[in-house]
Amino acid sequence: MQIREWNYKDILRISEIEKECFPHEPWSFQMLASSFDTDSFHGVLAEDGGEIIGYGGVTIAADTADIANVAVTEPFRHSGVGTAIIAELSHIAKQRGAIKLFLEVRVSNAIAMELYLKNGFKGAYARTRYYSDGEDCLVMVKEL
């Protein structure tokens, strides 16, 4: 497995994985493509044999950073891919001056919460009825 920055030609496959992993509210191709218009966003992906198997993105502003998405294709879950992506996003955020890293997760997504807890995140607070379907989210934070 290799972790690298994503580039424009990767967006089509990333958008397909986005739809698979986040059926409720996936980022569109356009939303992913617009990430290239901002210097504060950094996207990374994981490849295995040339196939994109996961990705993540982080937005950095001053001394805080926010992970936008972390997604791993079904066959590669529970194999360390998510942890490698989070580690790289954390490294990028810290390198660029962030001291705290935040993310939001659906309260029903126990698998993601377990991954984030394992990688040093702690629950900070909840946002009620945050998602368009009315589900709450948990905001998590990690000290860098």
Side-chain angles (χ1 to χ4, degrees):
M1 176 184 65
Q2 172 191 357
I3 302 289
R4 66 168 173 84
E5 282 190 43
W6 76 30
N7 57 52
Y8 198 83
K9 71 177 178 59
D10 300 316
I11 295 176
L12 180 58
R13 179 61 184 135
I14 289 170
S15 69
E16 292 168 352
I17 297 170
E18 179 79 7
K19 289 176 200 166
E20 293 168 20
C21 294
F22 304 107
H24 297 290
E25 294 183 57
W27 282 26
S28 67
F29 180 93
Q30 287 304 104
M31 292 169 72
L32 292 162
S34 72
S35 66
F36 285 93
D37 294 335
T38 175
D39 292 334
S40 61
F41 181 85
H42 304 276
V44 299
L45 58 79
E47 283 184 318
D48 185 60
E51 176 188 354
I52 298 172
I53 59 173
Y55 65 91
V58 64
T59 301
I60 304 157
D63 64 351
T64 63
D66 292 287
I67 289 181
N69 282 341
V70 173
V72 177
T73 59
E74 183 71 37
F76 291 91
R77 291 182 188 155
H78 304 289
S79 67
V81 175
T83 294
I85 291 168
I86 291 169
E88 184 63 18
L89 294 174
S90 298
H91 176 73
I92 290 168
K94 187 173 183 177
Q95 251 188 339
R96 289 174 172 70
I99 57 174
K100 286 188 180 186
L101 182 58
F102 293 89
L103 60 80
E104 298 160 344
V105 60
R106 286 179 174 267
V107 294
S108 64
N109 195 344
I111 293 170
M113 281 189 230
E114 181 182 339
L115 172 67
Y116 300 140
L117 288 167
K118 184 176 87 173
N119 283 279
F121 286 86
K122 295 179 178 10
Y125 55 91
R127 291 186 172 146
T128 57
R129 303 187 59 76
Y130 180 74
Y131 295 102
S132 63
D133 62 1
E135 185 172 356
D136 298 344
C137 89
L138 176 64
V139 176
M140 301 183 81
V141 63
K142 176 181 179 177
E143 302 286 333
L144 299 175

